[in-house]
Amino acid sequence: MDPRKPSQATAAALGRILIYLAVIATPPVLAAILPQSRHGVHRFLPQLANNLALVGYTIVAFQFILAARLKWIERPFGLDMIFAFHKAMALLGVVFLLAHPLLMAWGENRWRLLSRWNVSWPIHAGRAALLCLVIAVLTSCFRKRIHLEYERWRAWHNVLVVGVLVLGLVHSLSMGDLRAGPMRLVWGGVFGAAMLAYGYHRFFSPYRGRRHPFEVVEVRRETHNVWTLKLRPMEARRSNRHLPGQFHFITLYRRGFPFEEHPFTISSGPAADGSLASTIKESGDFTRTIMKTAVGDRVAVRGPFGRFSHALHPDEDELVLIAGGVGITPLMSMLRSMRDTGDWKDVLLIYGNRTEEDIIFGQELRDMAGGPRSPLKVVHVLSHAEGAWQGERGHIDRDLILRHAGERLGAKAFYICGPPAMAGPLIASLGELGVPPRRIHTERFAL
Amino acid sequence: MDRVRYLRFTVAAAVAVALAAAVCMSLMRSSGQGWRDHHPATASAMRAT
């Protein structure tokens, strides 16, 4: 599939959606047609309880594949959408799996199954699997509200979800339809596929990143709290071709700091030697140490990912790029790509910051827009401008967009990257102004 | 946004397909019309248990 061709990307997306739907629907169908050990429990409710458990477990197993960042799956959708889907399916899986014991108890009129302690060990395994699943989902939904650090949440999440899968397998193979017969093989396949994806994501991919590292070749200060790391592959043959606007995950191997993986936008354009740059704002525990990165430090790079790129929409000729603060980075990658390849579009960049000192890449943007026939126009907007500021003041809003990009809005493509408080209202305003949804591009990425 | 539409469509389709598969197969088996209930291999497996 060539992701630059919209028709191929659509076909690829629909194909993957159909595969997913077929996979989650298959277990109950196979359970109905394959010979099994269990003598006929033909009442509807216990059957439904079993089938919901089959589908729920398959959904949970497929979560491992969705979370493994496989490019074949990610490419037509973008990783932000895959993660959003992963969250939605986790809720569906929980509902189906919680319904399983309730319907089973109801259908067999044995409500004490739910409360009695003196039950067989496979039932205890099932209860423990459900408990792990509920904790994993609740901590994912309310991580920020309960002030759980991302790295700690991630470590626990990885343990809990494996617990769900293993305990669920033990429970299902010891009970009911899966005690014997060819369904056991199917079930082993479901479990094996999930474990393979987990192994790839947690072990093989990081190992490959360490085996083929990049090195930091420059640490540059952009503003008082923004830094750019320039990375170059340590092997000449290692190339990481990215589309402008994409992001990658990097793990910095620095003495005295934990080796944590974090996502950052690639701010550089395409480079012949495979080098990449990420521009990073000091905003969290990890990014506040970014200036302590040294030239020569090794870096594992995973990616690139994402579909926030004008290169994926070659039919768009007039672009309006809207950035807030460090949200300029993917848009800068697009601008640098246009400049370096000479393949310019008609571009208006509206760039919001608090003060003049917060403007990132100010000089480079002036140089790009400086020529008399430059196709780039830059509008800076400051929310806390000082007295001498000649440009726009306030926030980027509907009126400001109408003032600068007002003509034929429906024919223009909008790329928005900034804090959700900025992007959300802008997307709504653009919709009200008649911009078709397919021409409003944004990346919904928040860990 | 096309991608958001994909997401909503896929979530809705997944809910519908998952529920339909679970309910239809349960109805089929509870009415004794499951293929396995008439399949010779199933019958022998059932006898074995």
Side-chain angles (χ1 to χ4, degrees), chain A residues 65-71 73-86 201 246-249 261 263 302-308 443-447, chain B residues 3 7:
Chain A
I65 297 170
L66 292 177
R69 302 182 202 154
L70 302 174
K71 285 199 179 166
I73 294 177
E74 184 268 350
R75 210 173 290 140
F77 304 103
L79 203 58
D80 55 341
M81 288 295 126
I82 294 288
F83 283 1
F85 183 67
H86 175 87
H201 176 52
Q246 288 190 302
F247 66 93
H248 55 193
F249 290 83
E261 188 182 56
R302 280 184 78 178
F305 297 105
R307 291 192 61 81
F308 186 67
E443 190 106 59
R444 294 171 182 234
F445 209 97
L447 291 176
Chain B
R3 296 187 317 129
L7 177 67

Side-chain angles (χ1 to χ4, degrees), chain A residues 8-40:
Chain A
Q8 286 192 21
T10 304
L14 290 175
R16 283 149 180 79
I17 291 170
L18 286 177
I19 290 171
Y20 183 82
L21 298 179
V23 167
I24 62 169
T26 295
V29 176
L30 287 180
I33 63 176
L34 289 175
Q36 292 163 37
S37 70
R38 197 175 189 194
H39 52 83

Side-chain angles (χ1 to χ4, degrees), chain A residues 215-381:
Chain A
E215 68 174 332
V216 178
V217 292
E218 187 183 355
V219 182
R220 188 173 61 238
R221 183 171 211 153
E222 301 286 358
T223 70
H224 60 100
N225 62 353
V226 175
W227 300 78
T228 291
L229 301 185
K230 189 175 178 190
L231 317 173
R232 184 176 297 151
M234 295 182 78
E235 300 164 10
R237 63 185 173 82
R238 173 102 158 92
S239 74
N240 233 36
R241 280 189 198 158
H242 66 277
L243 298 174
Q246 288 190 302
F247 66 93
H248 55 193
F249 290 83
I250 65 175
T251 308
L252 288 169
Y253 296 106
R254 303 179 296 178
R255 233 178 242 173
F257 293 98
F259 302 155
E260 296 172 356
E261 188 182 56
H262 292 267
F264 293 110
T265 304
I266 303 168
S267 56
S268 52
D273 63 353
S275 63
L276 302 162
S278 276
T279 302
I280 299 163
K281 182 180 176 183
E282 298 171 22
S283 58
D285 290 343
F286 173 78
T287 52
R288 269 194 280 274
T289 69
I290 208 71
M291 79 293 288
K292 292 177 181 164
T293 306
V295 170
D297 281 348
R298 291 189 173 206
V299 187
V301 176
R302 280 184 78 178
F305 297 105
R307 291 192 61 81
F308 186 67
S309 177
H310 75 286
L312 294 171
H313 306 279
D315 56 319
E316 297 170 346
D317 294 322
E318 292 179 72
L319 310 184
V320 180
L321 313 182
I322 302 176
V326 77
I328 187 68
T329 50
L331 307 178
M332 196 63 193
S333 176
M334 295 185 207
L335 292 171
R336 284 170 168 163
S337 167
M338 289 186 232
R339 177 195 63 194
D340 296 346
T341 59
D343 187 16
W344 274 104
K345 309 269 185 178
D346 190 359
V347 185
L348 166 66
L349 169 67
I350 303 176
Y351 184 17
N353 279 289
R354 274 175 63 83
T355 68
E356 209 169 345
E357 286 72 42
D358 294 318
I359 296 174
I360 312 168
F361 310 126
Q363 185 57 50
E364 193 173 348
L365 287 171
R366 270 192 295 280
D367 291 344
M368 281 188 197
R373 297 167 75 181
S374 171
L376 171 65
K377 182 186 168 193
V378 180
V379 176
H380 287 287
V381 186

Side-chain angles (χ1 to χ4, degrees), chain A residues 24-33 51 54-55 58 183, chain B residues 18 21-22 25 29:
Chain A
I24 62 169
T26 295
V29 176
L30 287 180
I33 63 176
N51 282 332
L54 291 177
V55 177
T58 308
M183 259 312 272
Chain B
M25 291 301 116
R29 289 175 64 179

Side-chain angles (χ1 to χ4, degrees), chain A residues 117-176:
Chain A
W117 187 249
N118 184 21
V119 290
S120 62
W121 65 267
I123 291 184
H124 282 303
R127 288 173 176 176
L130 272 181
L131 184 65
C132 288
L133 181 62
V134 169
I135 294 172
V137 170
L138 287 179
T139 48
S140 302
C141 291
F142 301 108
R143 180 180 69 80
K144 286 183 180 164
R145 207 171 290 178
I146 60 176
H147 305 293
L148 184 58
E149 280 174 31
Y150 173 75
E151 286 301 326
R152 187 169 292 181
W153 165 81
R154 193 180 178 203
W156 275 106
H157 194 75
N158 284 327
V159 173
L160 286 169
V161 293
V162 171
V164 173
L165 209 66
V166 172
L167 290 167
L169 182 79
V170 168
H171 170 81
S172 52
L173 289 182
S174 312
M175 308 280 299

Side-chain angles (χ1 to χ4, degrees), chain A residues 10 13 17 21 25 28-29 31-37 42 44 47-48 51-52 55 77-78 80-81 84-85 88 96 177 437-438 440 442, chain B residues 1-7 9-11 13-15 17-19 21-23 25-30 34-37 41-42 45-46 49:
Chain A
T10 304
I17 291 170
L21 298 179
V29 176
I33 63 176
L34 289 175
Q36 292 163 37
S37 70
H42 283 158
F44 175 69
Q47 288 289 353
L48 183 61
N51 282 332
L52 287 178
V55 177
F77 304 103
D80 55 341
M81 288 295 126
F85 183 67
F96 278 25
D177 281 352
R438 67 188 165 80
I440 304 173
T442 184
Chain B
M1 277 185 66
D2 282 347
R3 296 187 317 129
V4 174
R5 278 193 201 151
Y6 274 140
L7 177 67
F9 163 75
T10 311
V11 170
V15 172
V17 167
L19 265 179
V23 172
M25 291 301 116
S26 304
L27 279 172
M28 198 168 93
R29 289 175 64 179
S30 62
W35 292 358
R36 68 175 197 152
D37 299 315
T42 312
M46 284 181 175
T49 59

